[in-house]
Amino acid sequence: MRIIDRFHPQRRRELQTALDAGLVLLRGEVSLLEPPLLYPLTLLSFLLLLIGLAGFGALAVLVLSWRSLHGWSVGRADLVHLLVWLAVSSVVYLVLLPLHELLHGLVFRFWGGRPYYGMRLPVALYCGARHQLFWRNQYLTVGLAPCLVLSLLLALLMWCWPAVAPYLVLAGAGHLSGCAGDLLAIWLLLRYPSRLCIEDTETGFRVWEIFPLLLDSDSVTRTN
């Protein structure tokens, strides 16, 4: 494994030396896709779906009520509108999936990491960073970025172009629901001190503590 810290090269070198020397302790390992976290993850995903439907739906109603639009009105619905709405919403949701993973990857790269991308059929995309250790707070930004950026972007699009608002409600709620794993990981990581390092895994993460001071003390002893 290698330490990732683009903005503190001296500290990165010291920690890498300690890591290579084996001065590291595994403080925790989490798999979000296995019991006992699979049930709360599913529940959180459902709750986020409801929150997304309520939040984006309320915003859509607000902008449609505020601006009178030809072809759309609050309370109007027919089969054609419903089918078009479902089709466009599905397309928007599918577009959000790679954007979500791309944002993970961009933040990984911002800190100096090397992300990789993959796909699990039918439409489960993922982004990871094998054999790389990030500071806890760096890893938190990786997890939070897609949820925050894409949710704000959808809300901004709905506000600026009300004509697209109805098509973004379901897609936005679906994307927010899909952020459950990221948000659960963030909540779990907040229990650990910020000095610890996080290793990304395909199903969760590992938490490591590195002891560079022990290496320095040993070096001083050998020198004397």
Side-chain angles (χ1 to χ4, degrees):
M1 291 188 294
R2 66 187 186 96
I3 304 295
I4 304 300
D5 195 344
R6 180 196 298 273
F7 302 104
H8 302 90
Q10 179 61 33
R11 180 173 63 172
R12 178 182 57 78
R13 286 191 292 269
E14 292 174 356
L15 289 175
Q16 188 67 56
T17 301
L19 179 63
D20 294 340
L23 300 178
V24 60
L25 175 66
L26 180 63
R27 292 286 300 272
E29 183 171 4
V30 170
S31 177
L32 299 173
L33 301 181
E34 299 176 1
L37 292 178
L38 186 57
Y39 172 74
L41 176 63
T42 303
L43 179 60
L44 177 60
S45 180
F46 179 70
L47 291 176
L48 289 174
L49 177 64
L50 296 180
I51 293 172
L53 288 172
F56 287 110
L59 181 58
V61 171
L62 176 62
V63 298
L64 290 174
S65 300
W66 182 47
R67 300 183 183 181
S68 178
L69 296 175
H70 177 71
W72 281 104
S73 62
V74 176
R76 176 181 175 178
D78 56 45
L79 181 59
V80 174
H81 276 85
L82 179 61
L83 292 177
V84 171
W85 176 71
L86 287 174
V88 177
S89 297
S90 299
V91 171
V92 174
Y93 175 73
L94 292 176
V95 170
L96 290 175
L97 293 179
L99 289 178
H100 180 108
E101 303 307 327
L102 178 61
L103 282 170
H104 278 317
L106 289 176
V107 181
F108 273 134
R109 287 192 176 277
F110 175 79
W111 296 121
R114 295 179 180 176
Y116 68 93
Y117 303 90
M119 177 178 181
R120 298 185 184 93
L121 297 176
V123 289
L125 307 181
Y126 62 87
C127 172
R130 292 190 185 98
H131 310 306
Q132 299 168 67
L133 296 182
F134 298 83
W135 294 107
R136 188 208 66 171
N137 289 345
Q138 293 177 340
Y139 197 79
L140 291 179
T141 62
V142 172
L144 184 60
C147 179
L148 184 62
V149 171
L150 292 180
S151 295
L152 290 176
L153 177 61
L154 291 175
L156 182 62
L157 289 174
M158 294 172 72
W159 186 261
C160 294
W161 291 282
V164 306
Y167 303 110
L168 302 182
V169 174
L170 187 59
H175 173 259
L176 187 61
S177 175
C179 295
D182 295 333
L183 297 180
L184 181 57
I186 289 172
W187 182 78
L188 294 172
L189 282 170
L190 288 174
R191 301 182 302 174
Y192 292 96
S194 60
R195 72 176 186 277
L196 301 184
C197 293
I198 311 301
E199 176 193 0
D200 183 70
T201 66
E202 290 191 359
T203 60
F205 57 86
R206 297 187 185 98
V207 182
W208 297 91
E209 184 169 9
I210 304 175
F211 303 94
L213 293 180
L214 295 180
L215 180 64
D216 293 341
S217 300
D218 186 52
S219 299
V220 171
T221 302
R222 289 200 303 270
T223 301
N224 292 337

